Amino acid sequence: MSGEALLRFAAVCQRYEDGSRGLEECSLSIRPGSRNALLGPNGAGKTTLLLHGVGLLRPARGQVEFQGRPLDYGRAGLRQLRQRVGLVFQNPERQLLSASVYEDISFGPLNLGLPEAQVRQRVEAALGAVGLADCRERAVHQLSFGQKKRVCIAGVLAMEPELLLLDEPLAGLDGPMRREFEALLEQLAGQGITILLSTHDVDFAYRWADDLHLLAEGRCLASFPARELPRQQALLAAAGQALPAVLGLHRRLADLGLLPDEPPRSLDALLAALDGAAPDLKRNPA
Amino acid sequence: MSGEALLRFAAVCQRYEDGSRGLEECSLSIRPGSRNALLGPNGAGKTTLLLHGVGLLRPARGQVEFQGRPLDYGRAGLRQLRQRVGLVFQNPERQLLSASVYEDISFGPLNLGLPEAQVRQRVEAALGAVGLADCRERAVHQLSFGQKKRVCIAGVLAMEPELLLLDEPLAGLDGPMRREFEALLEQLAGQGITILLSTHDVDFAYRWADDLHLLAEGRCLASFPARELPRQQALLAAAGQALPAVLGLHRRLADLGLLPDEPPRSLDALLAALDGAAPDLKRNPA
Amino acid sequence: MHIMEGFLPVAHAAGWTLASAPFLAWGLISLRRRLREQPEQRMLLGVAAAFAFILSALKLPSVTGSSSHPTGVGLGAVLFGPLAMVPVGFVILLFQALLLAHGGLTTLGANLFSLGIVGPFVAAGVFRALRGLGASLALGVFLAAALGDLATYLTTSVQLAWAFPDPVGGFAASFAKFAGIFALTQVPLAIVEGLLTVAIFNGLARFNGEELRRLKLLPGQEARA
Amino acid sequence: MLIDRCAHASPWRRISPAAKGLFALAALLGAYLAPSPGLALGLALGLVLLTLAGARVPLPDYLGAAAPALGFLALGCASLLFSLGGPGGLAPRFLPEALDPAARLGARSLAALAALLFLVLSTPLPHLIALLRQLRCPEVLLDLMVLCYRMLFVFATVFRDGRTAQAARLGHAGARRSLRSLGLLAAGLLPQVWLRALELHQAALLRLGDGPLRFLAPSFPRARQELAWAAAGSLGLLLGLGVLA
């Protein structure tokens, strides 16, 4: 199992300087090429876990492994790691450090020491990937919140990471922006980038992720494929999460014999399944 | 109509100094004692509208009326208005002036010129109302985001406003905090305080509000009672909002004859209605 | 570098407090006048004080390691004028004593004199003189911040030498002693502070002018420049 | 911020700041009046024990809070023991006769530091500001203090997050790059100082605050009693030092 993991947390323990708990015997694995969602209440350690993933925090006990090897916290080791693992923070305001979009995205590649021509090429590619090619010359403070989030992602993509960590990428986005953002995540996963994100939105996690990881009080309670979520309700409750809305509905409708036993992953899928079931019912209205 | 409104916007136009649009012929009315939700995409003018409601911005054309009288933008007029209308900003950090919870809440009542004993009484009452009586000794920077939001609300409640304006009160809250917060809103509305809030969450707006106001590009596209939302789908789409999830489901299930024609306001209500319908179906499975 | 609590003899502690008091009063009077015209300056200086405090608590990467941190005094003096920096410097020093045990209450007067009065006035004077002579903004900012820092540290050395003259060599020998010991950290720090302040101004210049004017950052700066 | 965290956690935070302030003042006075280094050291030790046991400050936190001042003290006292003047030219020369004054200075500074730490480790800063308010400190200074204390934590978080975000993109690889990154961060935040000030001004206006900021400090119901105890303790401390002399 550990041989095939891209990133692995092995019984990681850590406390913050002020004495508050960071992680407590936290263990989980991320498979290469998979889509992963971290679920858990505020304070469960989701952000802390992501910071450990790029070596910004260091375990007091236990270890973090990348491709089977424990992280090297020396300068060269961290440099190598951060080339391959990118982290996008929740709040774009805290992360965008330059006044111009172009400049901000070039920050990482320049720090990699790449020649200018290659930096320009990477910035262009990253701008294109997040759909902001038109904004390259804008000032950061003129952008909308959703655009700022995209610039943050572009700044990380320009370093061409294999693993992308995103802290609450959907927080603060309105309806249309969320849909655009989900499409972007879809596209990045399609390019073979492994993704680990934290979210409060259990409906989204259930329909998007391959693997779910439940965090509570600094521990990973469980990791399982998203399709098994309907059988993990007790664990979900232990991590303070509500059940995805679609599951409650599906259960009732399946009890009524309107839907097959296998639950759909989203309300849209449930509606589609109902449409399939409709003809039968129309013929025998209750 | 205008005679009975507590707050009325009459064709308000305003631009910001940098040339960006604030409001454009925006008209809407808030009935006394009602619960109002402002819906619209980012940049539609929701925050701007709330700032006009407390006289922090001033219309270039058109006018804002409180209890039928145009706002008086003189110092005394604004003082009077702000005694009766309170605004809670989205970001608690921009609103809290003192790091001591107790001190911050006392700021408004002291400025009202109340005697010390009465100020202390109001601070206690406000702390109790938002459920933070235990936190009176804490420092603001020791509180969670949700608690900070509560302190902001307490600071406004201590001035005993008739109308409470809230900018995105649910943004940034996780599941359990949202439920607590909705209960607090319920309680405030129950005390007869008129509430106008902006939100991205159309599901919440549909189940909580009496009146919905749709904003797009600085205009109020329409105001209507929340229960009429199912008949206003075109307008909702024009304001960039998705349909509440419960409505799509209800339509299919009602088409199937499983539910009565009147749509429920939340998924919970829909599930309850299904349970009511269940016995009939169980007897005649499709 | 602040003189620690209890380190100065009574006469010196009291004397420096008396020497600083008129400057503080002058700063407060001028500030009160400013507040009557522009009430939002109350918030501005409070927020700026917090910004400077944080800057002063940041550990900088430099040869001397953890003991080096910038003072932000040069930056503040150029942006707000040296007089406003006296009350702001007082609040920062009081907070450093109360929140970091850095400096002290009995030495507040002496520390205010070096860091809140000499430093800002030297920084602002250097900046104005250099700009008057046609020096570039970068050079003006660098020397203002660096010399402001050095002046602060030399003043502290004078204060210590005066309080503790060398039994053999007197004031001069004692000054050489204190200045020499603290030069290890303070001279590189002054250079780092100058470079950092230039980096901050360079960063600011990348914002478009429109935005800075809206924030009232450019006009004030141009008026002085 | 270590001291702030200890003060907010100390059970003595509920004691009137006036009482603690008076006692700390008496202890400072005692540090200066102590006739011998031994007595000053005794006073320092007493204050340290009082703070550790009474105000319940953990020893590692106490040492952490005292460390920067102790570093200064070590350097300062060491410099008194050597002379640069005299026949040896500029070569430092050990001065045996300076041992006594250096010991006095060191003991006094330790006692004064212990008095300061007693106060700040048991009293949250807002209480001290409230005390200054009672003592009629100029309003402008109080306003600056309240805002500075409030915003300090806001900016500390913003700075920390910005530095972390830069580190994640290799912004701290090397001293030059690190300094440039810090300059970029501070420059990016400086306009926010103006914006934040404007926002706070608006927030104050909405709560009818258009002049000096007024707040009601939390009340200390037993303040009178506590002040009497502190006065008695202060008097005892000073008399005790006099008798032992």
Side-chain angles (χ1 to χ4, degrees):
Chain A
M1 181 74 192
S2 89
E4 62 179 279
L6 182 63
L7 182 70
R8 196 169 86 96
F9 291 80
V12 172
C13 297
Q14 172 249 329
R15 286 193 164 264
Y16 284 103
E17 271 177 38
D18 66 0
S20 65
R21 183 193 48 235
L23 294 177
E24 188 110 355
E25 300 272 336
C26 185
S27 300
L28 62 87
S29 293
I30 306 297
R31 294 179 295 121
S34 63
R35 308 157 181 220
N36 299 266
L38 280 177
L39 289 167
N42 280 349
K46 301 191 295 295
T47 302
T48 306
L49 185 106
L50 296 178
L51 292 174
H52 275 282
V54 282
L56 282 168
L57 291 173
R58 202 173 167 160
R61 275 178 296 131
Q63 65 184 23
V64 182
E65 295 164 11
F66 188 73
Q67 291 190 322
R69 264 181 299 176
L71 295 197
D72 161 9
Y73 293 89
R75 210 157 126 173
L78 286 179
R79 236 183 107 81
Q80 271 192 321
L81 177 73
R82 290 172 189 167
Q83 278 182 47
R84 307 178 64 185
V85 184
L87 170 57
V88 180
F89 292 85
Q90 173 170 2
N91 187 345
E93 314 284 356
R94 305 253 175 100
Q95 186 168 4
L96 296 174
L97 304 159
S98 301
S100 96
V101 170
Y102 196 94
E103 209 178 84
D104 192 86
I105 300 176
S106 69
F107 183 80
L110 278 177
N111 290 335
L112 281 174
L114 299 176
E116 190 183 319
Q118 207 177 338
V119 171
R120 291 199 181 278
Q121 193 186 322
R122 285 210 182 183
V123 174
E124 291 301 331
L127 275 168
V130 300
L132 282 183
D134 296 343
C135 295
R136 75 164 64 75
E137 277 166 22
R138 306 265 303 273
V140 165
H141 61 268
Q142 295 175 323
L143 302 180
S144 73
F145 185 79
Q147 287 172 321
K148 284 182 191 167
K149 282 222 161 183
R150 281 162 181 268
V151 175
C152 291
I153 295 190
V156 171
L157 287 182
M159 300 179 77
E160 302 190 345
E162 293 159 51
L163 170 60
L164 187 58
L165 311 178
L166 300 125
D167 197 8
E168 296 283 353
L170 298 178
L173 299 182
D174 64 9
M177 288 198 295
R178 278 180 78 105
R179 286 188 287 279
E180 281 175 29
F181 215 85
E182 289 190 29
L184 173 60
L185 284 178
E186 200 64 44
Q187 171 199 327
L188 294 175
Q191 286 166 18
I193 300 177
T194 310
I195 299 182
L196 168 62
L197 55 80
S198 68
T199 183
H200 283 313
D201 186 338
V202 70
D203 294 298
F204 162 70
Y206 180 51
R207 78 174 170 265
W208 174 81
D210 297 320
D211 292 341
L212 299 177
H213 309 272
L214 298 181
L215 254 63
E217 304 189 345
R219 277 172 208 280
C220 181
L221 296 183
S223 298
F224 47 80
R227 64 173 182 282
E228 281 186 19
L229 184 135
R231 285 171 287 286
Q232 306 284 2
Q233 296 182 12
L235 279 168
L236 211 61
Q241 301 295 303
L243 205 61
V246 65
L247 286 182
L249 273 166
H250 168 265
R251 205 174 28 186
R252 307 287 170 107
L253 296 171
D255 283 352
L256 296 174
L258 292 171
L259 287 175
D261 266 352
E262 181 62 22
R265 296 273 283 266
S266 69
L267 282 175
D268 285 341
L270 180 135
L271 283 176
L274 263 184
D275 280 349
D280 289 3
L281 269 168
K282 284 264 153 128
R283 263 172 268 133
N284 308 324
Chain B
M1 180 72 190
S2 89
E4 62 179 279
L6 183 62
L7 183 70
R8 196 169 86 95
F9 292 79
V12 172
C13 297
Q14 173 249 330
R15 283 191 167 267
Y16 284 101
E17 271 177 40
D18 64 0
S20 65
R21 184 193 46 237
L23 294 177
E24 189 111 353
E25 299 274 337
C26 184
S27 300
L28 63 86
S29 293
I30 307 297
R31 294 178 296 121
S34 63
R35 308 158 182 218
N36 300 266
L38 279 176
L39 288 167
N42 281 346
K46 301 193 294 294
T47 302
T48 306
L49 186 106
L50 296 177
L51 293 176
H52 275 283
V54 284
L56 272 179
L57 291 174
R58 200 173 168 162
R61 275 177 297 130
Q63 65 184 24
V64 182
E65 295 165 11
F66 188 73
Q67 290 190 324
R69 264 182 297 175
L71 296 197
D72 162 6
Y73 292 90
R75 199 176 143 169
L78 285 177
R79 257 187 90 84
Q80 269 193 321
L81 176 74
R82 290 168 186 169
Q83 277 183 46
R84 307 177 65 185
V85 184
L87 169 60
V88 179
F89 290 96
Q90 175 171 2
N91 181 358
E93 307 291 9
R94 76 164 279 186
Q95 183 160 11
L96 298 172
L97 297 166
S98 168
S100 141
V101 170
Y102 193 96
E103 277 189 14
D104 189 84
I105 301 176
S106 74
F107 182 73
L110 273 179
N111 289 329
L112 281 174
L114 299 175
E116 185 179 321
Q118 207 178 336
V119 173
R120 290 204 185 274
Q121 194 185 321
R122 284 211 182 182
V123 174
E124 292 300 330
L127 275 168
V130 300
L132 283 184
D134 294 343
C135 293
R136 74 162 62 75
E137 285 188 3
R138 308 267 301 276
V140 165
H141 51 266
Q142 296 176 318
L143 302 180
S144 72
F145 182 78
Q147 288 172 320
K148 284 182 195 169
K149 283 217 163 185
R150 282 160 181 268
V151 176
C152 290
I153 295 187
V156 171
L157 287 182
M159 300 181 73
E160 303 191 346
E162 293 160 51
L163 171 60
L164 188 60
L165 311 179
L166 300 126
D167 198 7
E168 296 283 354
L170 298 178
L173 301 181
D174 67 5
M177 286 199 295
R178 280 181 77 105
R179 287 188 285 278
E180 281 175 28
F181 218 84
E182 288 189 29
L184 173 60
L185 284 177
E186 200 64 43
Q187 171 199 328
L188 295 176
Q191 286 165 19
I193 300 177
T194 310
I195 299 181
L196 168 61
L197 54 80
S198 67
T199 182
H200 281 144
D201 185 337
V202 69
D203 294 297
F204 161 70
Y206 179 52
R207 77 175 171 265
W208 173 80
D210 297 320
D211 293 340
L212 299 177
H213 309 272
L214 299 181
L215 253 63
E217 304 190 345
R219 279 171 206 281
C220 180
L221 296 182
S223 297
F224 49 79
R227 64 173 182 283
E228 281 187 17
L229 184 134
R231 284 172 287 286
Q232 305 285 2
Q233 298 182 10
L235 279 168
L236 212 60
Q241 302 295 305
L243 205 62
V246 64
L247 285 183
L249 273 166
H250 169 264
R251 206 172 30 184
R252 307 288 171 107
L253 295 171
D255 283 352
L256 297 174
L258 292 172
L259 286 175
D261 267 352
E262 181 61 24
R265 298 273 282 265
S266 69
L267 282 174
D268 285 341
L270 181 137
L271 282 176
L274 263 184
D275 281 348
D280 290 1
L281 269 167
K282 284 263 151 128
R283 263 172 269 133
N284 306 322
Chain C
M1 172 185 65
H2 307 334
I3 304 174
M4 81 172 285
E5 184 73 282
F7 199 77
L8 286 180
V10 176
H12 288 259
W16 287 114
T17 305
L18 285 178
S20 295
F23 287 94
L24 182 59
W26 184 23
L28 283 175
I29 289 166
S30 103
L31 189 52
R32 232 174 258 147
R33 201 175 307 135
R34 245 161 110 164
L35 291 182
R36 259 197 301 273
E37 288 154 25
Q38 298 167 288
E40 69 279 2
Q41 295 255 327
R42 183 188 312 277
M43 306 294 181
L44 184 55
L45 289 175
V47 178
F51 186 86
F53 183 94
I54 291 298
L55 216 54
S56 80
L58 279 180
K59 305 262 192 296
L60 274 189
S62 84
V63 275
T64 51
S66 67
S67 62
S68 78
H69 45 72
T71 60
V73 156
L75 182 68
V78 170
L79 288 177
F80 298 104
L83 204 48
M85 286 310 284
V86 184
V88 169
F90 175 83
V91 170
I92 294 174
L93 284 166
L94 181 67
F95 276 30
Q96 285 177 331
L98 298 177
L99 289 171
L100 305 172
H102 196 178
L105 299 176
T106 55
T107 52
L108 194 55
N111 288 329
L112 181 62
F113 199 88
S114 62
L115 190 123
I117 298 169
V118 173
F121 277 93
V122 166
V126 166
F127 184 75
R128 231 174 275 188
L130 283 174
R131 293 295 280 164
L133 291 173
S136 70
L137 183 67
L139 184 66
V141 166
F142 172 78
L143 285 177
L147 294 179
D149 232 32
L150 280 178
T152 298
Y153 130 74
L154 289 176
T155 308
T156 307
S157 300
V158 166
Q159 290 169 330
L160 289 172
W162 195 358
F164 306 102
D166 192 287
V168 185
F171 172 83
S174 181
F175 175 76
K177 225 164 39 181
F178 283 111
I181 288 178
F182 292 113
L184 282 179
T185 59
Q186 298 301 313
V187 173
L189 177 55
I191 294 168
V192 168
E193 166 112 22
L195 291 175
L196 178 66
T197 312
V198 171
I200 292 176
F201 267 83
N202 280 343
L204 277 179
R206 296 175 202 207
F207 286 90
N208 65 36
E210 192 69 28
E211 178 78 355
L212 292 187
R213 254 185 295 281
R214 201 168 66 84
L215 297 171
K216 296 183 183 155
L217 200 60
L218 270 188
Q221 187 190 317
E222 277 169 355
R224 263 178 273 279
Chain D
M1 235 155 290
L2 183 62
I3 291 182
D4 188 67
R5 190 151 42 80
C6 291
H8 276 103
S10 168
W12 279 6
R13 68 181 185 274
R14 294 201 177 82
I15 294 179
S16 138
K20 286 178 289 189
L22 177 67
F23 184 73
L25 201 64
L28 266 182
L29 207 60
Y32 272 95
L33 293 178
S36 70
L39 278 181
L41 277 184
L43 174 63
L45 191 66
L47 288 168
V48 172
L49 290 177
L50 188 67
T51 312
L52 293 179
R56 303 242 190 89
V57 177
L59 183 62
D61 287 349
Y62 193 95
L63 294 176
L70 293 179
F72 178 94
L73 187 61
L75 268 180
C77 284
S79 74
L80 289 191
L81 294 177
F82 293 89
S83 169
L84 283 183
L90 278 183
R93 192 165 56 86
F94 180 66
L95 294 174
E97 67 271 29
L99 266 176
D100 186 50
R104 280 178 180 279
L105 175 63
R108 178 181 77 205
S109 300
L110 283 176
L113 177 66
L116 177 70
L117 287 175
F118 158 80
L119 180 65
V120 299
L121 288 170
S122 66
T123 316
L125 194 60
H127 293 184
L128 291 173
I129 299 176
L131 177 62
L132 289 172
R133 195 179 292 279
Q134 278 181 341
L135 296 174
R136 312 254 168 237
C137 174
E139 246 164 13
V140 183
L141 281 179
L142 290 172
D143 289 352
L144 291 186
M145 286 180 211
V146 169
L147 291 166
C148 180
Y149 182 68
R150 163 84 186 95
M151 281 299 128
L152 222 140
F153 295 93
V154 174
F155 280 123
T157 316
V158 173
F159 255 106
R160 198 193 54 218
D161 290 358
R163 300 264 278 174
T164 311
Q166 286 181 327
R169 287 204 273 160
L170 299 172
H172 298 169
R176 258 183 76 99
R177 202 156 267 154
S178 191
L179 193 64
R180 187 179 154 270
S181 294
L182 183 61
L184 213 57
L185 177 61
L189 290 178
L190 205 51
Q192 285 192 26
V193 168
W194 272 261
L195 190 63
R196 193 39 65 89
L198 193 69
E199 288 176 346
L200 287 173
H201 181 61
Q202 287 186 337
L205 282 181
L206 287 186
R207 290 199 275 160
L208 309 181
D210 51 2
L213 308 176
R214 285 180 295 176
F215 302 102
L216 209 53
S219 55
F220 295 90
R222 284 173 296 134
R224 210 172 280 256
Q225 215 176 327
E226 286 158 359
L227 200 57
W229 276 108
S234 304
L235 206 62
L237 186 146
L238 293 176
L239 283 178
L241 279 176
V243 169
L244 287 171

